[in-house]
Amino acid sequence: MSEPVLHPIRARRCLPILALFFITLLVLGNLPRMAADMSQAFGDKHLHFAAYGCMAALLYMSFNRHAFWAGWMGALVLGIVDETIQSFVPYRSASLLDLLADAIGAGGTVIFLHLIRTAMPQAWQRITRTLEGAAARQRPIPSTRVSRRSN
């Protein structure tokens, strides 16, 4: 039997954080002057890059299978939703450059996480064990070493 698409423990922890983060981003980003002040202080594209990188990481961590595409495309869909909402706010505007920053931030994050997951499985196990908390500490993680028995 294959593993489920969503990881049961990590998804239960990451997806509510993602929802709260996205709602907070929408509310704060559409308050009068808040978006302009934050963009001026930190740089608009930097904020997009970081925010959508974080959202992509939360999505990536929630999935067992197809994590790369779920993280990248999921964050990109959220970026499209954000830009669409901004197009209806009188003092905001939608921007393809913002969407590009979202895509680059999300893509860079999932590539980085995927490299860790595939090239450094022990580091990935430590990261996921930390995220899973006590539930992960109770079940042993199988060793990746191959033992040779001498006859």
Side-chain angles (χ1 to χ4, degrees):
M1 187 170 145
S2 65
E3 63 187 355
V5 174
L6 281 174
H7 188 281
I9 297 169
R10 293 192 310 251
R12 226 181 358 243
R13 293 184 180 184
C14 291
L15 295 179
I17 294 169
L18 172 67
L20 183 62
F21 184 78
F22 186 65
I23 290 168
T24 302
L25 180 125
L26 290 177
V27 170
L28 293 179
N30 289 309
L31 288 175
R33 296 284 312 150
M34 179 67 80
D37 291 344
M38 288 183 354
S39 292
Q40 188 175 14
F42 301 106
D44 181 49
K45 302 306 177 255
H46 293 115
L47 290 171
H48 279 269
F49 187 89
Y52 286 88
C54 290
M55 286 190 269
L58 290 166
L59 283 165
Y60 186 91
M61 297 297 291
S62 298
F63 282 78
N64 282 322
R65 295 184 292 142
H66 313 295
F68 182 88
W69 294 110
W72 194 12
M73 292 295 117
L76 192 55
V77 166
L78 293 174
I80 291 168
V81 168
D82 182 24
E83 293 302 318
T84 302
I85 290 170
Q86 285 181 22
S87 71
F88 293 107
V89 176
Y91 46 87
R92 300 293 313 270
S93 63
S95 166
L96 287 176
L97 289 177
D98 287 349
L99 193 57
L100 181 63
D102 300 345
I104 292 170
T109 300
V110 296
I111 288 169
F112 177 74
L113 290 173
H114 196 70
L115 287 174
I116 291 174
R117 187 179 203 167
T118 56
M120 301 165 42
Q122 290 176 335
W124 181 254
Q125 286 177 349
R126 281 194 298 272
I127 292 167
T128 56
R129 249 188 311 190
T130 301
L131 186 60
E132 292 168 17
R137 287 185 206 97
Q138 292 173 356
R139 46 171 212 254
I141 295 178
S143 174
T144 56
R145 286 192 218 162
V146 176
S147 62
R148 294 184 178 177
R149 295 183 182 175
S150 58
N151 291 330

